[in-house]
Amino acid sequence: MLIQVVNPNTTASMTDLIGRSARAAAGPGTAVVAVHPEMGPASIESHYDEALAVPGLLARIAAGEAAGADGHVVACFGDPGLDAARELAAGPVVGIAEASMRTATYLGRTFGVVTTLQRTTGRAWELAGRYGVREQCRTVRAVEIPVLALESDPAARSRIAAECADVVGTDGCDAIVLGCAGMADLAAELTVRIGVPVVDGVAAAVTIVEGLVRLGLSTGKRGEFAAPPPKRYTGALEQFGVGAPVAAPEWEVSR
Ligand code: 5HY
C-alpha cells in the first residue's frame, strides 16, 4: 500500500523529519511519500496560518488521489482541512492530533499535550473536545518555542523534556502527546527519559491509516464526506473546481 503524508506547511526540512518518522512507523509492504504544498505558510502557528495552509494541503490530497495513494495523513497538530480532505479522498485520511490523542487514551486514564506556542493551546483543547477525549486530556502546555525554532534552538529538546516531566510530576498524566509534527523525532527518547509513553502523532496516524487500509475500511462517502458538489471557483482558487485538471505529484506509485 502507499500512504501520502502531507506536511501542510511549506518547510522542506520539516517534511523530511516527518517522512523519517512516518517511514519508521510503516510496516513492510507500506510505502510512504512525504510531501508539502507548493503554496502556503512556512509554519502553522495561528488560525490565519491554518486557513491559508488548507488550499495547498487539498491540492496535495487531490494529487495523491490521482496518483493512487491508498490513504493520507495530515501532519499538522491542528488537523487543518481534515474534513475537506476526507471529502476528496477515497481512502482513509487521519490527522496527527486525532491519531495521537486517541492513541494516548489506550495508554492510561489521562494524558497531557505539550505543544509549541501558548496561542495554539485553545485549538488543542477544542480538538480534544471534538474527538471526545476532553475528559482524558488533563493539560495542554506550551514550551513557547516557534515551530521552525524546534530545529534550530539548541535548548528546544531540553525545554520540551522539562515540560513533559512536569506534566507527569505535577498533573500526574499517564501519557504525553507531542503537539507538533516537528517534535516527531523526540518521542522515543522522551518515552525513556520521562518514563511514560510519549506519542508522536505522525507515527500514530500512519499506523492507523495502515490498519484501516488493511481492514479494507475507508471514509463513508454516502453522506457528509461525499465528494464536494461540482462548482466554479474563481481567481487564485480556480484550480480547485471539482473536475478541474489535477496537477500530478512529483512521485510515482511503486507497489
Ligand atoms: C504543526 N504547526 O504540527 C503545527 C504545530 C503547532 O507548522 N506543524 C506546524 O504548533 O500548532
Side-chain angles (χ1 to χ4, degrees):
M1 80 178 77
L2 184 132
I3 299 175
Q4 179 179 246
V5 179
V6 186
N7 168 20
N9 74 40
T10 52
T11 297
S13 58
M14 197 161 154
T15 304
D16 294 344
L17 183 150
I18 289 165
R20 289 192 295 274
S21 173
R23 289 186 188 94
T30 298
V32 170
V33 284
V35 299
H36 57 262
E38 290 172 4
M39 60 179 171
S43 64
I44 299 165
E45 299 172 315
S46 66
H47 297 297
Y48 184 82
D49 291 343
E50 193 166 296
L52 291 176
V54 172
L57 164 82
L58 295 179
R60 281 299 189 183
I61 297 289
E65 284 297 295
D70 295 293
H72 307 266
V73 168
V74 176
C76 172
F77 200 73
D79 290 353
L82 181 59
D83 289 340
R86 285 176 172 160
E87 290 179 342
L88 285 185
V93 186
V94 174
I96 67 170
E98 181 171 16
S100 55
M101 289 183 180
R102 292 189 192 283
T103 297
T105 64
Y106 301 131
L107 305 172
R109 182 163 301 285
T110 62
F111 68 87
V113 176
V114 175
T115 189
T116 53
L117 298 181
Q118 186 61 36
R119 67 178 297 161
T120 68
T121 57
R123 181 83 171 122
W125 282 117
E126 181 186 39
L127 290 176
R130 168 180 169 173
Y131 300 139
V133 297
R134 183 65 183 73
E135 275 187 29
Q136 292 100 311
C137 183
R138 181 163 284 177
T139 188
V140 176
R141 305 282 194 83
V143 290
E144 219 49 37
I145 297 174
V147 171
L148 299 186
L150 290 172
E151 291 177 56
S152 57
D153 181 346
R157 195 175 284 252
S158 56
R159 282 172 59 186
I160 294 165
E163 200 67 42
C164 291
D166 194 53
V167 164
V168 176
T170 303
D171 294 289
C173 291
D174 301 311
I176 287 168
V177 163
L178 295 177
C180 179
M183 298 178 181
D185 59 338
L186 303 179
E189 172 199 332
L190 288 171
T191 296
V192 174
R193 198 164 159 182
I194 309 298
V196 302
V198 177
V199 182
D200 153 31
V202 173
V206 166
T207 307
I208 292 165
V209 170
E210 207 174 29
L212 291 171
V213 172
R214 268 218 190 92
L215 290 171
L217 296 173
S218 187
T219 308
K221 304 298 281 182
R222 301 278 302 257
E224 178 176 344
F225 295 114
K231 67 187 58 153
R232 190 164 47 85
Y233 294 78
T234 59
L237 298 181
E238 191 168 355
Q239 70 182 72
F240 291 93
V242 176
V246 174
E250 304 83 38
W251 51 269
E252 293 293 322
V253 176
S254 55
R255 293 180 187 278

